[in-house]
Amino acid sequence: MSTNLNRRSVIKGILAGTAAMSIPTGFSALAMPKNETDMASNFLKGNINHSVARWCFNDFDIENLCIEVKKLGITGIDLVGPKDWPTLKKYDLVSTMCNGAEINLVDGFNDVKFHETLIKNYTEMIPLVAKAGYKNLICFSGSRRGITDEEGWNNCVIGLQKLIPLAEKHNVTLVMELLNSKIDHHDYQCDKTFWGVELAKRLNSENFKLLYDIYHMQIDEGDVIRNITDNHEYIAHFHTAGVPGRHEIDETQELNYPAIMRAIAKTGYKGFVGQEFIPINPNKLASLKQAITICDI
């Protein structure tokens, strides 16, 4: 009797201790002692640096989003421009992928008619990113509009080479996103890993790299782990989302995110993995917490 009773007592104690350590998703950081808020990061293993895309949680104002993501141990928010950088700094968060210099996703560096505007925008933005203490600034190839691969590479090199010296001077990395052209961004040119990698090789600068969006590349080419492993030196950032649908990265979709995260960590990657899924769960923060847990290998 005493052995069984002791065993049950020990198990109850362990479970009680685990419950005490859990931070309820809906518990406001404003009401939480600072040391308890900071404890959230202690539950993460430290092998993956976690961030989240701002636009996926636009129904939260930036201040509340900062409060909530801090509770999950997230240390950065993607796709935030200069206007909101002071709020991120207030909560000791990083703008992990800065934006605001691009025209849009379709008018990019692959077409010389957009170069004048792009070069002006990026020339102004690169020093601002550096002054804020940030590193990555997003850019896009743009749509093909009949432009061949070779023409696209050549045009991107012409435009980006005019910015690379400034990026190198300020230690800012221009990061071109890989987007699928099958479902979400029809006619986008930088839609395969090989296309982005070839451009990076031609530019031959540590200040130009790729944003490998796992969702987009699963749709357009698959073979995600092999492509990440073989080309990791050209990748500065990752995005996630479930396939199909671009929603939660749970068991309802086809990608094995723990395996992908292990492959990323194995390359020695030290950048951020940004959650960029569109939640369908009404409790969006619960979905975000689950995604961080899935990816925290």
Side-chain angles (χ1 to χ4, degrees):
M1 187 275 293
S2 59
T3 301
N4 289 337
L5 179 60
N6 288 340
R7 183 178 300 158
R8 286 197 295 269
S9 299
V10 170
I11 292 172
K12 283 179 67 178
I14 292 171
L15 292 175
T18 302
M21 288 192 297
S22 299
I23 299 177
T25 302
F27 192 53
S28 172
L30 294 174
M32 186 186 296
K34 185 177 186 299
N35 63 332
E36 290 186 36
T37 305
D38 294 342
M39 278 174 59
S41 61
N42 294 332
F43 300 127
L44 301 176
K45 297 180 177 71
N47 298 315
I48 299 292
N49 295 315
H50 301 282
S51 62
V52 61
R54 169 72 182 107
W55 71 270
C56 297
F57 293 84
N58 273 339
D59 47 349
F60 291 82
D61 65 50
I62 188 65
E63 184 125 10
N64 283 329
L65 183 62
C66 289
I67 290 168
E68 294 298 338
V69 302
K70 283 281 286 188
K71 288 190 278 182
L72 301 180
I74 292 172
T75 53
I77 303 181
D78 291 8
L79 305 175
V80 175
K83 176 175 69 73
D84 290 324
W85 292 346
T87 306
L88 266 62
K89 288 179 179 293
K90 176 181 175 181
Y91 292 95
D92 196 28
L93 293 167
V94 178
S95 180
T96 38
M97 183 57 62
C98 300
N99 68 347
E102 69 280 6
I103 299 172
N104 50 51
L105 275 63
V106 300
D107 302 329
F109 283 97
N110 69 338
D111 194 327
V112 294
K113 72 183 179 185
F114 302 119
H115 282 188
E116 182 179 356
T117 299
L118 288 168
I119 290 167
K120 177 180 181 295
N121 291 355
Y122 281 86
T123 297
E124 293 172 355
M125 187 65 74
I126 288 169
L128 295 179
V129 172
K131 185 178 180 181
Y134 301 139
K135 173 72 175 176
N136 295 325
L137 178 59
I138 200 166
C139 65
F140 301 96
S141 69
S143 296
R144 288 179 179 271
R145 299 185 177 97
I147 295 171
T148 66
D149 283 343
E150 192 62 36
E151 289 169 337
W153 285 321
N154 289 339
N155 290 342
C156 283
V157 168
I158 290 168
L160 288 164
Q161 275 185 339
K162 295 176 180 177
L163 295 168
I164 291 295
L166 184 65
E168 291 175 342
K169 175 184 175 182
H170 288 283
N171 195 29
V172 169
T173 303
L174 299 174
V175 187
M176 183 170 286
E177 185 164 11
L178 297 159
L179 302 173
N180 84 75
S181 60
K182 180 180 178 181
I183 303 296
D184 298 281
H185 302 286
H186 295 287
D187 204 42
Y188 186 74
Q189 187 149 40
C190 188
D191 63 347
K192 302 285 193 303
T193 304
F194 89 88
W195 202 96
V197 167
E198 177 61 23
L199 176 57
K201 288 178 177 178
R202 295 187 184 199
L203 286 166
N204 192 29
S205 171
E206 284 298 307
N207 295 80
F208 176 85
K209 289 187 181 293
L210 303 174
L211 195 171
Y212 188 97
D213 191 301
I214 299 164
Y215 159 79
H216 286 297
M217 291 301 93
Q218 170 69 358
I219 288 174
D220 257 19
E221 64 183 12
D223 207 9
V224 167
I225 289 178
R226 188 194 308 274
N227 281 323
I228 290 171
T229 302
D230 291 350
N231 300 289
H232 65 90
E233 64 189 286
Y234 302 106
I235 298 171
H237 200 77
F238 289 92
H239 277 166
T240 76
V243 179
R246 203 173 190 177
H247 301 305
E248 279 81 352
I249 63 170
D250 56 24
E251 71 283 353
T252 65
Q253 53 86 53
E254 67 193 31
L255 286 163
N256 183 346
Y257 270 100
I260 295 169
M261 292 301 117
R262 286 192 290 271
I264 290 172
K266 191 175 180 180
T267 68
Y269 175 75
K270 300 300 182 184
F272 281 82
V273 174
Q275 300 293 335
E276 200 189 23
F277 64 90
I278 303 168
I280 54 176
N281 180 357
N283 188 340
K284 296 183 178 184
L285 292 173
S287 287
L288 180 57
K289 182 176 182 179
Q290 181 186 37
I292 295 300
T293 302
I294 289 169
C295 289
D296 194 54
I297 48 86

